[in-house]
Amino acid sequence: MKNILPTKENLLGKGVASDGLCPLYQVDTENSCHLFLRCSFIKRVLFSNPLGIRVPEEGDVADWLDAIFTRKDFKLGQIVAIFMWKIWKVRNYVIFKNAKADPCTVAVDIWNAVSEESHSCLLAESRRNQPMADASSPKGWVVQTDAGCFEEGIISFGCVIRDPSSNIFLAATKRIHSVTNPATVEAMVIRWALQMAKDLGLSEFVIQSDALTVVDCINGCFIYADLNPIVFYCKVLLSSFNSVGIMFINRAENVEAHQLVGIGRSIGSRTWTGHIPNLCPVICNSLSVSV
């Protein structure tokens, strides 16, 4: 709404871009109004099934957003917000990776993201006032996980294992090179943590993750097709333990595993026994682009 996105028109005005043409259709000058309302590619995305949204013929992006959010139509606002986020990502893939974009595929991707977000919001709201499971009971251990996607195809995992007395038993990081979506990465770190727990001979513990959709997929409360292969493998691993639970926790309760993600990105795969390594500011700052 403040027109601060680095569109071709804005970059051209700063002397950065060599031309101002829209990267999606190569016809008109790319500004915010064109990118989100007027581009023929964008109109095809919004008109496609299952979105079916018509944009106003007059006004700019700020007017459109103001009208949507003034009406307080949560569902439409959610769709439009995710639509703009996805379109900006598609636009960048076309420019920087020379990718090809299909309007129908983009529309389905937007709708899937909206459906997943709506499901997560509803579950989080329904659980907000429910007591958390007693993860520190004498019967079991606690395994907290987190993961992050970074530039140049780097994925980093972080895992903290605590004994029944809440003492740190093990802290571990893992760095791999792969390109995938955030939900898949969060599922991958749980699979890694389960395999690590099996190798350590643990039998009763709870896995804690701040990825609600992934937790619900493994617990059978939600189906996300992209995660099916990893979820299946997680369930196979779960069957090899005496008593294991997978539970959702808030990001604020998962700080240590989240910090380990930044460490893993910087120094790679490492393991520490009985403690978590001290974090320098440089490593902590790297967390700003993780998920």
Side-chain angles (χ1 to χ4, degrees):
M1 294 182 74
K2 293 180 180 294
N3 192 32
I4 60 173
L5 284 175
T7 59
K8 288 288 193 72
E9 183 179 75
N10 285 344
L11 293 177
L12 193 62
K14 297 176 183 294
V16 177
S18 58
D19 68 77
L21 290 179
C22 169
L24 297 176
Y25 230 65
Q26 297 292 325
V27 177
D28 297 316
T29 300
E30 184 203 46
N31 52 38
S32 293
C33 185
H34 173 81
L35 179 61
F36 296 116
L37 291 178
R38 306 290 173 238
C39 179
S40 297
F41 178 89
I42 299 307
K43 290 182 178 180
R44 289 173 63 191
V45 170
L46 288 172
F47 293 167
S48 296
N49 185 47
L51 296 180
I53 298 175
R54 293 187 176 275
V55 298
E57 294 297 328
E58 298 180 353
D60 58 18
V61 176
D63 296 329
W64 187 40
L65 293 177
D66 185 61
I68 290 172
F69 291 112
T70 299
R71 281 163 38 190
K72 296 182 179 180
D73 185 336
F74 176 79
K75 187 67 175 180
L76 179 59
Q78 185 184 42
I79 293 174
V80 169
I82 292 179
F83 151 74
M84 295 179 74
W85 168 51
K86 289 286 188 178
I87 289 301
W88 185 251
K89 290 186 67 175
V90 168
R91 176 257 192 204
N92 289 335
Y93 275 122
V94 169
I95 292 177
F96 299 112
K97 297 185 181 298
N98 199 29
K100 301 295 182 182
D102 174 64
C104 295
T105 302
V106 174
V108 171
D109 184 40
I110 292 169
W111 185 254
N112 288 340
V114 170
S115 301
E116 181 182 350
E117 179 67 19
S118 297
H119 173 81
S120 298
C121 288
L122 288 172
L123 283 175
E125 181 65 27
S126 67
R127 295 175 180 182
R128 185 165 296 168
N129 297 320
Q130 294 181 5
M132 299 295 288
D134 184 8
S136 59
S137 64
K139 294 176 61 177
W141 294 48
V142 177
V143 180
Q144 294 185 322
T145 67
D146 201 8
C149 300
F150 300 92
E151 298 172 351
E152 300 177 355
I154 294 177
I155 292 174
S156 178
F157 297 159
C159 178
V160 179
I161 300 178
R162 294 182 178 274
D163 64 22
S165 298
S166 296
N167 299 315
I168 294 176
F169 174 75
L170 191 76
T173 62
K174 183 176 182 179
R175 184 177 65 192
I176 59 177
H177 290 271
S178 181
V179 178
T180 186
N181 61 69
T184 300
V185 173
E186 293 284 3
M188 289 168 64
V189 71
I190 291 179
R191 180 183 62 183
W192 172 63
L194 285 170
Q195 185 62 58
M196 189 159 40
K198 183 177 180 180
D199 295 340
L200 290 170
L202 301 184
S203 60
E204 296 184 349
F205 60 94
V206 60
I207 292 272
Q208 296 181 338
S209 167
D210 55 29
L212 180 60
T213 298
V214 176
V215 170
D216 285 330
C217 284
I218 296 175
N219 286 330
C221 303
F222 184 53
I223 297 176
Y224 187 8
D226 289 351
L227 300 182
N228 282 347
I230 303 176
V231 168
F232 174 79
Y233 192 78
C234 286
K235 290 181 177 180
V236 171
L237 285 171
L238 286 169
S239 65
S240 64
F241 300 103
N242 292 336
S243 176
V244 181
I246 309 287
M247 65 177 289
F248 169 75
I249 58 173
N250 295 320
R251 171 60 63 86
E253 301 172 275
N254 202 31
V255 173
E256 292 171 330
H258 184 61
Q259 290 174 336
L260 284 167
V261 171
I263 296 177
R265 180 202 180 189
S266 299
I267 66 175
S269 303
R270 294 282 297 275
T271 302
W272 298 266
T273 302
H275 74 287
I276 294 176
N278 293 327
L279 304 175
C280 68
V282 174
I283 293 177
C284 289
N285 289 338
S286 70
L287 292 169
S288 60
V289 293
S290 67
V291 295

